[in-house]
């Protein structure tokens, strides 16, 4: 079964500056995680997201033909969706185990089963 691992955090929290040794060390943890998932054969896909300031939200309403389009994310929250992994796991416990290994210094991680994948319909 496939599981989505959603990574939430405060995009305004202090962190290492790109181009510094601290950032390279931080990035190394993520590259190691990616490599491990690939070598274990469980990585389906994954990506980081640009900051929420780059988001555009479409709001559809029953009975209204055109959606309302606004700049920015759907809701103001303390934590923003920063990226995701789509993994293949035998069960929820295995998917949670994969999520626990994420090199996230702070934030929330949501693990959710996938109903279907568009590339497999």
């Amino acid at each position: 079964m496939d599981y989505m691992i959603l990574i939430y955090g405060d995009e305004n929290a202090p962190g290492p500056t790109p181009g510094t040794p601290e950032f390279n060390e931080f990035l190394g943890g993520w590259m190691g995680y990616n490599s491990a998932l690939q070598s274990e054969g469980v990585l389906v896909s994954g990506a980081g997201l640009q900051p929420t300031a780059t988001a555009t939200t479409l709001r559809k309403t029953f009975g209204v033909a055109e959606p309302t389009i606004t700049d920015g994310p759907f809701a103001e929250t303390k934590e923003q969706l920063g990226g995701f992994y789509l993994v293949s796991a035998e069960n929820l416990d295995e998917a949670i185990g994969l999520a626990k290994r994420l090199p996230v210094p702070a934030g929330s991680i949501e693990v959710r089963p996938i109903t279907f994948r568009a590339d497999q319909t």
Side-chain angles (χ1 to χ4, degrees), residues 64-98:
V64 178
E66 289 294 315
T68 301
I69 300 174
T70 57
D71 290 335
F74 170 69
E76 294 289 327
T77 62
K78 291 184 179 187
E79 293 183 332
Q80 296 79 35
L81 179 62
F84 71 92
Y85 283 90
L86 182 58
V87 298
S88 181
E90 290 295 318
N91 53 47
L92 179 59
D93 289 336
E94 183 181 348
I96 289 171
L98 295 171

Side-chain angles (χ1 to χ4, degrees), residues 16-105:
T17 304
T20 64
E22 295 81 13
F23 183 79
N24 292 337
E25 182 179 332
F26 170 78
L27 198 57
W30 288 96
M31 295 301 106
Y33 183 74
N34 295 346
S35 294
L37 293 183
Q38 288 173 334
S39 67
E40 294 166 24
V42 298
L43 180 64
V44 176
S45 182
L49 301 174
Q50 293 288 325
T52 56
T54 66
T56 300
T57 300
L58 284 74
R59 164 68 78 188
K60 295 181 115 182
T61 305
F62 284 107
V64 178
E66 289 294 315
T68 301
I69 300 174
T70 57
D71 290 335
F74 170 69
E76 294 289 327
T77 62
K78 291 184 179 187
E79 293 183 332
Q80 296 79 35
L81 179 62
F84 71 92
Y85 283 90
L86 182 58
V87 298
S88 181
E90 290 295 318
N91 53 47
L92 179 59
D93 289 336
E94 183 181 348
I96 289 171
L98 295 171
K100 284 181 177 180
R101 294 168 34 200
L102 276 163
V104 176

